[in-house]
Amino acid sequence: MRSRTRMAAVAAGLVTALSAGGVGVAQAAPTPVQIPGSVNAAVAAAPATGTVPANQQLTVQLWLKGNQAGAEALASAVSDPKNPAFRQYTSPNAYTARYGASATTASAVSSWLTQQGFSQVKTDAQRAYVQASAPASTVQQAFAVQLKKFAVAGKSIMSNDRDVSLSSSIANDVLAVTGLNNTQPKPEFVAAPRTDVPNCSNYFGQNQQTVPAIGGVTSVPTRVCGYNGSQLRTAYGMTNANTGKGVTVAYVEAGQPDKMFKTLTTWARAGGLPAPRSANYSELLLGSGAACGNPFDIEEQIDIESGYAMAPGQHELMVGADSCDTRDDGNQALFDALNVVLDGTGNSPLATIASNSWGPATDETSDPADIPVMHQILLRAAGEGVGMYFASGDSPGVGTPQDDPYAIGVGSTSLGLDAGNKRLFETGWSTGEQVPNADGTYTDNGIQDGASGGASTVFDEPAYQRGVVPNSMATQGRKTPGRVVPDVSAEGDQLTGMSVGFTEPGTNGGPDVYSTDPFGGASLSAPLFAGMVAAAQQGQPRAFGFANPLFYLLDRGGAFRDVLPFTAATPVAYRFVYNSSASPAYVGVLDDQNPAETKQVTARGYDTMTGLGTPNGQKFINELRLFG
């Protein structure tokens, strides 16, 4: 029998052990903390149609917070032509050391995930996120959510039913959680499927189509078959002296095109451009590459060919995201592709310009978790001196990430060139559709194609837009001025687009078949503009990086050609285009500014269709180079 003295001593020791967090003693669990914006907005109003099987495997990413205030200050300083630190960029390793999440933070988050039952826990090379896998049952318990199926826009999607909760021990270190839903649309802006285009024109107005009377005429120009590389170089004043030599541009895609370099060689020759050098083209495939298909087919050809047209001496790096990685409907794979470019060698990024003809969401409310993730990626890009060019989109409204103040949003125009490649007109891309009827009347289908743009509901007006963007545009739908897109623009109208080349396997093992089709969209505008920036950056001591502050500073210096609306003085021959490839065929009304369908306008000065305008040839290049 133990003495009371001995029992007291044991009790005292137990108290000491409790105070020290002794092993085997129950302790109060850390308080759960919700991560706002980690559930898709569409889910809140959608009916649940079922549950996700408990054994379904999921891979999630816990994006890590860094020193965002410091990163914002760096991005602002190195991008501001008036700041002494202008273009004093940092390396990927130095950026992580100063502004990224610490190794201690990444370790703590990794340990927590392991404790919760996750496996395959790993951290991104520059500690952007920690990734881990687990069955749905483990995910639900760890994040205090239910994974369900929801009916959204006629599609069955999977999503968490509420905001994610994390232990207070790591919650302050986590920026966002992704990988729990597949609610986002296919992340690309791609033109309509390939089709025959009868009676198309090699230049604007070459061929005509008889139509019922419209706008006082009964004959209108047919759709352009697609401008070739030489036509577009001439239109934007690119010379043989400015080829982008020594500049690497990353074209971020998903999957891998078939025989892209062979296609580019044939396309360049047919369009009067110099033959590409194999040393200036490379592909970097991530994960399984195109093993699960090539979701960006057509997109890749548009990007590589149009970028080459503007800067045939650049190094084109096609970064192919893993086509088998369908998390967040493929967005995680694209985030990984951007991170690979920015992580680079550790001493430098893989490219100083990145062209992106995709977006996580076509509106700002689709998936709020993507907004802080993209903002963090864009801050790193600015700090490292990488200019991120994003297609604005192909329909009225504002999407993400082009709405971010550190993204360069590229809008689209309708471009008319004559037989000598002389510019007849360039106006904002907003095309109305008038379908002719048998009785000579028309059915008005409204605006079917056009550039995206307008004021963000998420981001406030950045300093570089003040005094340039009209207040009426910056406050549209807002009480205070917001970030407005696009920033700049280039040709994009599908009816006046580019001839795109494709190489496809021959039938029954026969020789490859090369063909062309006309395409457009914001997917064309972004790489065209990125290529022109590469041409301007040639031979410069430092990359141009995030160039919006400089672009807006140069607004009144002649670097940009102001894209103007059609007026009563515009020849009626420029107003309409017949599209025979559509079903049914229709008369496209160019620069259709119908306020009942869109608040966007083409206007003198900055506007929400074309931003500051399009590059003004050598003047654009000279003005950018003035700042060293």
Side-chain angles (χ1 to χ4, degrees):
M1 182 176 176
R2 294 180 182 175
S3 68
R4 293 192 176 203
T5 303
R6 176 64 177 161
M7 292 178 67
V10 172
L14 182 56
V15 170
T16 302
L18 278 168
S19 300
V23 177
V25 178
Q27 300 178 60
T31 305
V33 177
Q34 275 198 331
I35 306 299
S38 50
V39 64
N40 188 282
V43 169
T49 59
T51 58
V52 174
N55 62 352
Q56 181 172 327
Q57 283 290 122
L58 293 165
T59 299
V60 299
Q61 301 77 39
L62 275 64
W63 294 82
L64 305 179
K65 288 181 182 177
N67 177 5
Q68 182 162 315
E72 295 262 9
L74 173 69
S76 177
V78 299
S79 306
D80 182 0
K82 300 176 183 178
N83 192 298
F86 182 54
R87 291 181 180 164
Q88 300 297 315
Y89 308 122
T90 188
S91 70
N93 285 344
Y95 185 95
T96 298
R98 297 172 189 168
Y99 310 106
S102 69
T104 301
T105 293
S107 178
V109 173
S110 296
S111 296
W112 183 84
L113 285 165
T114 301
Q115 292 166 10
Q116 299 304 308
F118 285 81
S119 62
Q120 303 178 54
V121 180
K122 63 179 182 179
T123 303
D124 171 69
Q126 294 293 346
R127 298 195 291 274
Y129 60 80
V130 177
Q131 178 174 289
S133 300
S137 57
T138 300
V139 172
Q140 292 178 139
Q141 184 173 350
F143 296 147
V145 298
Q146 290 293 312
L147 294 171
K148 299 179 179 180
K149 296 178 181 179
F150 296 87
V152 178
K155 175 183 174 183
S156 178
I157 59 95
M158 176 193 75
S159 176
N160 47 310
D161 64 344
R162 70 200 76 174
D163 282 337
V164 164
S165 290
L166 298 176
S167 165
S168 58
S169 63
I170 65 165
N172 288 336
D173 296 323
V174 176
L175 179 72
V177 178
T178 60
L180 295 178
N181 71 62
N182 61 348
T183 56
Q184 296 161 321
K186 193 174 182 181
E188 70 202 272
F189 303 124
V190 72
R194 298 173 63 186
T195 183
D196 291 333
V197 185
N199 196 34
C200 62
S201 299
N202 293 315
Y203 56 86
F204 192 87
Q206 178 189 26
N207 297 323
Q208 300 286 317
Q209 175 71 36
T210 300
V211 297
I214 184 170
V217 297
T218 56
S219 178
V220 300
T222 62
R223 175 181 180 173
V224 175
C225 304
Y227 297 125
N228 64 30
S230 293
Q231 287 175 295
L232 290 171
R233 281 187 65 77
T234 300
Y236 287 109
M238 296 292 104
T239 67
N240 292 333
N242 304 309
T243 66
K245 182 180 179 181
V247 179
T248 299
V249 181
Y251 297 85
V252 180
E253 318 288 349
Q256 177 189 28
D258 186 40
K259 300 180 177 66
M260 186 66 245
F261 185 74
K262 179 180 181 180
T263 301
L264 178 62
T265 302
T266 305
W267 181 85
R269 181 175 62 247
L273 298 178
R277 298 176 61 242
S278 59
N280 282 345
Y281 177 78
S282 57
E283 296 179 358
L284 175 59
L285 302 182
L286 307 184
S288 301
C292 296
N294 186 30
F296 277 27
D297 190 36
I298 302 177
E299 184 61 71
E300 295 143 339
Q301 290 87 343
I302 292 174
D303 291 351
I304 296 300
E305 292 167 10
S306 61
Y308 184 83
M310 296 296 102
Q314 67 175 293
H315 176 204
E316 293 189 295
L317 172 62
M318 197 213 76
V319 183
D322 187 347
S323 67
C324 297
D325 186 351
T326 58
R327 292 171 294 165
D328 281 347
D329 218 12
N331 290 328
Q332 177 61 40
L334 292 163
F335 293 156
D336 285 346
L338 291 178
N339 281 335
V340 164
V341 173
L342 298 179
D343 291 354
T345 63
N347 295 319
S348 63
L350 298 183
T352 55
I353 298 170
S355 176
N356 300 274
S357 291
W358 57 272
T362 51
D363 68 78
E364 294 181 293
T365 62
S366 274
D367 203 329
D370 283 334
I371 293 175
V373 169
M374 274 306 308
H375 186 65
Q376 185 159 278
I377 290 173
L378 290 167
L379 285 177
R380 176 181 279 273
E384 294 182 10
V386 180
M388 287 282 188
Y389 293 81
F390 278 89
S392 71
D394 293 348
S395 58
V398 182
T400 183
Q402 58 269 28
D403 62 337
D404 192 289
Y406 290 95
I408 303 169
V410 185
S412 302
T413 67
S414 302
L415 176 66
L417 301 177
D418 68 9
N421 297 336
K422 177 183 176 183
R423 180 185 297 268
L424 299 174
F425 64 84
E426 188 167 25
T427 191
W429 178 35
S430 181
T431 305
E433 183 178 297
Q434 297 284 338
V435 178
N437 299 315
D439 61 0
T441 62
Y442 283 88
T443 297
D444 184 354
N445 286 342
I447 297 173
Q448 298 298 304
D449 297 299
S452 301
S456 168
T457 60
V458 175
F459 294 101
D460 293 333
E461 183 178 53
Y464 57 78
Q465 288 195 315
R466 294 172 194 156
V468 178
V469 176
N471 196 59
S472 60
M473 296 181 187
T475 56
Q476 202 164 79
R478 297 175 52 108
K479 292 182 179 179
T480 58
R483 155 74 164 140
V484 185
V485 288
D487 299 298
V488 291
S489 57
E491 156 74 323
D493 188 342
Q494 298 188 45
L495 300 185
T496 64
M498 186 182 80
S499 175
V500 180
F502 304 87
T503 297
E504 296 171 311
T507 57
N508 299 321
D512 292 337
V513 177
Y514 175 82
S515 61
T516 61
D517 273 299
F519 284 98
S523 293
L524 172 60
S525 308
L528 280 175
F529 197 96
M532 286 184 266
V533 173
Q537 194 175 296
Q538 174 185 329
Q540 301 308 292
R542 298 186 184 91
F544 293 161
F546 173 61
N548 268 359
L550 180 56
F551 288 158
Y552 282 83
L553 184 65
L554 297 178
D555 173 50
R556 291 177 173 81
F560 295 97
R561 181 183 287 106
D562 191 8
V563 178
L564 301 174
F566 282 165
T567 67
T570 302
V572 70
Y574 302 167
R575 295 175 180 273
F576 306 105
V577 178
Y578 186 77
N579 185 11
S580 60
S581 63
S583 182
Y586 66 87
V587 175
V589 182
L590 302 188
D591 192 36
D592 187 352
Q593 301 188 48
N594 184 348
E597 295 188 59
T598 176
K599 303 300 180 185
Q600 290 176 245
V601 295
T602 308
R604 185 171 296 279
Y606 179 92
D607 63 59
T608 49
M609 289 287 188
T610 67
L612 298 170
T614 59
N616 191 13
Q618 192 64 41
K619 184 72 172 175
F620 172 76
I621 292 173
N622 292 344
E623 290 289 313
L624 286 179
R625 290 177 176 175
L626 279 177
F627 290 82

